[in-house]
Amino acid sequence: MIELDKDTFDAEVKESDLPVVVDFWGPKCTHCLALMPGVEKLAEEFDGKVKFCKVNIQGNRRVAIAHKVMGLPAFLFWNGGEEKARMSGDAVTIEQIKAEIEKLL
């Protein structure tokens, strides 16, 4: 997974030839940390088809604000330089993330 900040977000996400999943997380977000191993497995499963990136909001608040991320965890799904979908909050599951990824392909 690629760690993003304000300097790398546009190049890695908006200019990507592949669909992109951006995981906004924080070290104090227990649901974020619980989802992380499953998200890393999805990154392996879709390797070469989908790019997985993450943003630690601690130290990257401007990136979160710029993309109107109001709660954690938040997953933004991008394709062709445009945001296509998003999901956030404690109800997010790995199954939901995978279903959204499959819509991008």
Side-chain angles (χ1 to χ4, degrees):
M1 288 183 65
I2 300 166
E3 286 277 354
L4 298 177
D5 60 27
K6 64 181 174 30
D7 298 324
T8 58
F9 192 94
D10 286 359
E12 292 289 352
V13 177
K14 295 181 181 177
E15 297 166 23
S16 176
D17 293 333
L18 293 174
V20 184
V21 177
V22 184
D23 175 3
F24 283 84
W25 69 285
K28 294 179 183 165
C29 170
T30 53
H31 194 54
C32 300
L33 299 174
L35 286 172
M36 210 168 276
V39 173
E40 287 169 0
K41 282 189 180 127
L42 288 175
E44 289 172 21
E45 182 179 337
F46 289 96
D47 187 40
K49 296 181 196 147
V50 178
K51 185 190 291 189
F52 281 76
C53 301
K54 58 185 178 179
V55 178
N56 181 345
I57 61 137
Q58 199 166 17
N60 290 298
R61 293 199 192 286
R62 283 191 182 144
V63 177
I65 291 165
H67 295 283
K68 298 178 175 62
V69 172
M70 300 300 168
L72 295 178
F75 293 87
L76 279 56
F77 302 87
W78 289 71
N79 200 355
E82 293 179 12
E83 183 183 324
K84 299 295 184 185
R86 66 169 53 205
M87 57 181 64
S88 65
D90 287 342
V92 174
T93 67
I94 292 298
E95 292 77 20
Q96 289 171 321
I97 296 166
K98 184 174 181 175
E100 206 58 59
I101 291 166
E102 287 171 348
K103 287 184 202 171
L104 291 174
L105 298 174

